[in-house]
Amino acid sequence: MLGYNVPEPDEAMLISGKKGQEGAPFDVVVGHGKWVMPFFRKVRFLSMALHEAQIREVCVTTQGIQLNVRAVIAHKVGGDVASIVNAGQRFISEQENEMNQLTGQVFSGHLRSIVGSMTVEQIIRERDTLARQVLEASKREMGSIGLVVDSFQIQSIDDMDSGYINALAAPNIAKVQREAAVERARADQESAKAQQESLRNQADYERETSIKRAQIKSETDKANAEAAQAGPLAEARVNQEIIREQSVLAQAQADLREQQLISEVVKPAEAEARRTQIIAEADARAVEIQSAAAAKHNRIALDQQIIEQLPALVGEIAKGLGSSNLTVFNGAEGVNEVMTGVVTQGAALLKSLQSEFVPKVVDEAADDTGPVTPEPTSL
């Protein structure tokens, strides 16, 4: 290649045709470009990327048990000039295939050697120790060919169906199975316990819900019943109040009617009876006077006695009217009417006495002394 050449970031540029640094058979350029003289120099590129080599090797342990071991190696060309020169001299023609094949051969040999010094139990329990020993044993040889190993991982180990590993694992498997069974039983027990607890909680919740629902229904029914009875009760109370008011009104009407009857019937009847009684008493008194006058056969004395007794008669009449429980409806005018009636009754009484008893006195006097001319009297 002619002109200015630049390697990739994961490549090393090898320029042959002159000596390189530190006595290297060619010049090594990494990370930058360089002018190369045509015809006098030749440029090659060596990959410094990470490669992967897989191995599968049959190994025999110290117990004579054959094991089939699978592993993977991550490797690449070293970053120093010596490693690049060593790798370039060996792998520049067939880099990936030759590099992976040689790496696998190196690790396979060391793997068989180390496995042969260990038991199956050690290999199974100390797989990391096996990998570390193989890596340490291969490091020197890998460095001599210019390669470095990033990691070495054992992927699988099997006893090629001899049953040895399974037999070793049986106790542990049984133990694990027992523990697993115990754990499953414990888990089932806990699950059953949790389920029973959940059922109890659900039953308690349902019971509380039923009780609460019953309480709510009872309160609702009570409220509905009270609401249903509120109307009739209110109506009954109103009717009772109406009846009470009607009773009070009826009693008031009865009292009023009683007062009216007393005023219209009883009082007038009592007044009339008292008047009749007074008149009768006056008549009796007049008879007494008449009898007394007749006994004396003296008309003058009779008239004089009647005249003298008339104020007393009127007074008795007035006194009787005053002591009677007589109701006067017209006030002063009613009183005047009553007094006028009394006086008129007295005058009528006097006239009656004169008309009835004077002729008898005159006749009796005529029989004794002859005719007598009565003298007029005045009130």
Side-chain angles (χ1 to χ4, degrees):
M1 297 182 68
L2 304 176
Y4 190 80
N5 295 271
V6 180
E8 296 293 336
D10 59 347
E11 290 181 338
M13 185 170 62
L14 308 181
I15 304 172
S16 59
K18 71 170 187 176
K19 294 289 183 180
Q21 305 94 321
E22 301 176 1
F26 46 80
D27 191 11
V28 178
V29 178
V30 179
H32 59 87
K34 191 173 183 179
W35 288 98
V36 179
M37 295 181 62
F39 304 107
F40 296 99
R41 302 287 186 268
K42 186 175 182 179
V43 178
R44 299 285 185 89
F45 294 95
L46 178 65
S47 175
M48 299 180 67
L50 186 66
H51 298 276
E52 183 180 281
Q54 295 184 356
I55 59 174
R56 183 172 183 174
E57 192 68 29
V58 177
C59 306
V60 180
T61 67
T62 57
Q63 302 153 307
I65 306 300
Q66 290 185 342
L67 299 177
N68 188 7
V69 182
R70 296 181 58 187
V72 60
I73 308 106
H75 61 90
K76 66 178 182 177
V77 176
D80 59 287
V81 175
S83 297
I84 294 173
V85 171
N86 291 332
Q89 290 177 339
R90 290 170 176 80
F91 307 115
I92 194 63
S93 299
E94 294 289 340
Q95 296 183 33
E96 186 172 357
N97 292 334
E98 292 181 1
M99 193 180 298
N100 290 338
Q101 184 178 2
L102 183 57
T103 300
Q105 291 175 358
V106 170
F107 273 86
S108 294
H110 291 290
L111 180 62
R112 286 193 303 268
S113 175
I114 295 173
V115 168
S117 64
M118 300 174 68
T119 63
V120 178
E121 291 81 357
Q122 291 174 333
I123 294 171
I124 294 173
R125 289 194 303 265
E126 302 174 5
R127 183 176 297 189
D128 292 340
T129 301
L130 173 62
R132 187 173 60 253
Q133 290 179 0
V134 173
L135 185 60
E136 290 294 332
S138 303
K139 184 180 296 185
R140 185 178 59 84
E141 295 184 23
M142 293 293 289
S144 64
I145 59 177
L147 301 179
V148 294
V149 179
D150 283 351
S151 66
F152 173 74
Q153 297 291 332
I154 296 177
Q155 293 180 320
S156 64
I157 298 174
D158 65 79
D159 58 1
M160 302 177 65
D161 297 330
S162 66
Y164 189 87
I165 295 178
N166 291 333
L168 291 176
N172 292 329
I173 293 174
K175 180 181 179 182
V176 170
Q177 289 177 347
R178 287 194 304 270
E179 292 177 354
V182 171
E183 291 298 327
R184 281 197 301 270
R186 184 179 293 109
D188 293 340
Q189 183 178 2
E190 293 294 332
S191 177
K193 182 178 179 181
Q195 186 176 5
Q196 293 297 326
E197 185 69 20
S198 176
L199 292 175
R200 284 195 296 270
N201 292 335
Q202 184 176 359
D204 292 340
Y205 179 78
E206 290 177 355
R207 183 177 66 255
E208 292 176 359
T209 301
S210 300
I211 293 173
K212 190 65 176 180
R213 188 180 292 113
Q215 291 177 351
I216 294 174
K217 186 177 184 301
S218 176
E219 293 175 358
T220 303
D221 294 341
K222 181 179 178 181
N224 292 335
E226 291 177 354
Q229 294 175 359
L233 289 175
E235 184 177 359
R237 284 194 291 269
V238 171
N239 293 333
Q240 184 177 4
E241 189 67 23
I242 292 174
I243 293 172
R244 184 182 298 109
E245 294 296 330
Q246 289 177 348
S247 299
V248 173
L249 178 61
Q251 184 64 38
Q253 291 176 348
D255 294 341
L256 178 61
R257 183 57 181 164
E258 181 181 1
Q259 295 298 325
Q260 290 176 349
L261 290 174
I262 291 173
S263 299
E264 295 175 358
V265 178
V266 176
K267 293 299 182 181
E270 290 179 352
E272 182 64 24
R274 183 60 179 167
R275 188 180 70 82
T276 303
Q277 182 181 0
I278 294 171
I279 292 172
E281 291 177 354
D283 289 341
R285 182 65 175 166
V287 169
E288 292 178 359
I289 296 172
Q290 182 180 3
S291 298
K296 293 182 178 181
H297 304 280
N298 189 345
R299 178 184 176 186
I300 297 173
L302 175 63
D303 291 340
Q304 186 65 34
Q305 190 174 4
I306 291 173
I307 293 170
E308 292 175 356
Q309 294 295 325
L310 182 59
L313 292 174
V314 174
E316 290 293 331
I317 294 172
K319 181 179 179 182
L321 292 175
S323 62
S324 64
N325 188 10
L326 179 64
T327 301
V328 179
F329 293 97
N330 296 329
E333 184 179 354
V335 174
N336 293 331
E337 290 179 357
V338 173
M339 296 304 298
T340 302
V342 172
V343 174
T344 303
Q345 188 67 33
L349 178 60
L350 178 60
K351 184 177 180 180
S352 175
L353 292 175
Q354 288 177 346
S355 63
E356 182 176 359
F357 296 104
V358 169
K360 292 181 179 180
V361 173
V362 171
D363 291 339
E364 292 178 356
D367 291 337
D368 293 334
T369 60
V372 179
T373 303
E375 297 181 0
T377 60
S378 61
L379 295 175

